[in-house]
Amino acid sequence: MKLFVYHTSELTPSQILPDTAVVIDVLRATTTIATALDVGAEAVATFKSLESLMEVSENWPAQKRIRAGERGGAKVEGYDLGNSPLDCTTELMKDKRLFLSTTNGTKALQAVEQSSTVITAALINRGSVVKYLLKQNPETVWLIGSGWEGGYSLEDTVCGGAIAQSLLNNGTVPVTIGNDEVIAAVALYSQWQDNLLELMHQASHGQRLLGLGGQEDLKYCATLDIIETLPIQKSPGLLVKLASSSL
């Protein structure tokens, strides 16, 4: 397995795709996706544009859909939800499809949607991501941060580092480093692994969410390995919960 880290989807190679793409948006799209599927959502459909979300979701039964729109960290007017994973309760999500468009994460998913395998990662399901990659042992793996409007984000890179460190230290499956960003991401995680919430507070998007009253979101998003659900792309833009037998 050859491992690459890219801080944003804009930095990924344009002419090739990996065997497995791992999309990361800790604050908060991939945390929300994993949580929604964990509590019983039938699937999560992701969209780069709000217009596409509304158009496609109109074809889904109203009682079986939830529309979530977020821009700049805030809920878009007219949508059922914003992008808080804490809104994803069993009562709300069970057997429904979540239609989701966010500022950064859904754009990153679209950038690699033609890869052979696409999964999403957050700190909350880091362990399941590592377990899946070690079991499947793909030849090339890209860990792709969503960043913020094309720029680097601490929280996505530290998550990439958490995954990379576990893979590199697994002791069974040979893992090689594909680019310098892997080393940088592991170094960031090594420094902050015992204080991830403080890192979130220092991150620019963490500060943005704090300004919007998102303290509890940050606490949740900064917690390692609290769910086992692994979202996997079933078709471009559509994510479902990987069967536990595949982990």
Side-chain angles (χ1 to χ4, degrees):
M1 185 191 312
K2 194 167 188 178
L3 191 60
F4 298 79
V5 167
Y6 296 102
H7 297 312
T8 69
S9 59
E10 289 86 350
L11 294 172
T12 58
S14 58
Q15 303 302 316
I16 57 171
L17 287 168
D19 294 299
T20 299
V22 184
V23 176
I24 304 166
D25 186 6
V26 173
L27 298 176
R28 293 164 291 175
T30 57
T31 304
T32 296
I33 290 166
T35 303
L37 293 172
D38 188 61
V39 300
E42 172 263 340
V44 179
T46 63
F47 299 86
K48 186 176 178 179
S49 78
L50 293 166
E51 294 76 18
S52 296
L53 185 158
M54 293 302 287
E55 182 181 344
V56 173
S57 64
E58 278 297 317
N59 299 317
W60 203 255
Q63 70 274 18
K64 288 289 188 179
R65 73 179 180 224
I66 299 171
R67 292 165 169 160
E70 171 265 313
R71 290 296 182 269
K75 174 179 173 287
V76 178
E77 185 176 352
Y79 285 72
D80 302 310
L81 301 175
N83 187 23
S84 173
L86 299 182
D87 288 337
C88 298
T89 62
T90 300
E91 294 75 21
L92 184 62
M93 295 285 168
K94 183 69 174 173
D95 297 327
K96 294 179 182 175
R97 179 165 294 191
L98 178 63
F99 293 83
L100 177 68
S101 180
T102 72
T103 306
N104 304 294
T106 49
K107 181 176 67 173
L109 275 163
Q110 190 176 61
V112 290
E113 65 184 11
Q114 297 302 322
S115 301
S116 299
T117 301
V118 179
I119 60 175
T120 68
L123 291 168
I124 63 168
N125 70 334
R126 183 274 308 258
S128 293
V129 173
V130 172
K131 189 176 178 182
Y132 174 82
L133 291 172
L134 291 175
K135 182 176 181 179
Q136 300 299 321
N137 193 16
E139 187 173 342
T140 56
V141 175
W142 292 1
L143 304 175
I144 307 151
S146 298
W148 178 262
E149 296 183 345
Y152 172 92
S153 68
L154 285 169
E155 66 275 6
D156 292 346
T157 299
V158 83
C159 182
I163 296 167
Q165 185 187 77
S166 290
L167 291 173
L168 290 165
N169 293 341
N170 81 88
T172 303
V173 176
V175 179
T176 58
I177 293 171
N179 61 0
D180 287 356
E181 287 90 332
V182 174
I183 299 169
V186 169
L188 182 68
Y189 176 68
S190 297
Q191 180 175 346
W192 288 94
Q193 60 186 314
D194 296 323
N195 204 358
L196 292 169
L197 181 57
E198 178 58 29
L199 179 69
M200 301 290 179
H201 283 199
Q202 296 203 26
S204 59
H205 193 38
Q207 293 179 16
R208 190 177 294 108
L209 292 175
L210 287 173
L212 294 167
Q215 173 68 29
E216 294 305 312
D217 270 17
L218 291 190
K219 287 181 182 177
Y220 180 76
C221 294
T223 309
L224 272 173
D225 303 336
I226 53 174
I227 68 172
E228 295 184 355
T229 291
L230 182 67
I232 188 166
Q233 182 176 263
K234 183 178 181 180
S235 60
L238 185 69
L239 296 147
V240 298
K241 181 178 179 179
L242 184 73
S244 57
S245 60
S246 298
L247 279 173

